[in-house]
Amino acid sequence: MSPEEITEIRKKLGVTQERFAYLIGTTTATVNRWENGKTVPSRLSIKELKEIRKNHGSYVCGREELKKS
């Protein structure tokens, strides 16, 4: 997954890197490195990102509700 794709997913959700990191279970620094092309997501993270893209954010909304419980 390219840095541009990751940035696009986050921006479509309308969230900051910090919030995006929280929602997918990583750190802000990691999201920043992905978006700047310094590192690439792990297989597990790529799976999460693809689910988010596929479900247009509803996947993240469900995860956010679980985190509030």
Side-chain angles (χ1 to χ4, degrees):
M1 183 164 285
S2 74
E4 296 80 16
E5 289 174 299
I6 296 166
T7 303
E8 179 183 346
I9 292 167
R10 180 179 61 79
K11 287 186 176 182
K12 281 186 178 180
L13 291 173
V15 295
T16 63
Q17 285 184 345
E18 182 179 30
R19 187 70 180 152
F20 190 63
Y22 172 78
L23 292 171
I24 62 174
T26 193
T27 66
T28 305
T30 297
V31 171
N32 185 276
R33 287 191 296 267
W34 292 345
E35 290 187 1
N36 288 304
K38 293 180 180 178
T39 62
V40 295
S42 67
R43 285 184 178 168
L44 180 59
S45 295
I46 289 173
K47 181 180 175 186
E48 294 271 335
L49 292 165
K50 286 182 177 181
E51 280 294 320
I52 292 167
R53 182 172 58 191
K54 176 181 163 190
N55 294 306
H56 306 287
S58 60
Y59 178 75
V60 171
C61 292
R63 286 182 54 107
E64 187 170 34
E65 289 302 316
L66 288 174
K67 288 186 178 199
K68 288 180 182 176
S69 303

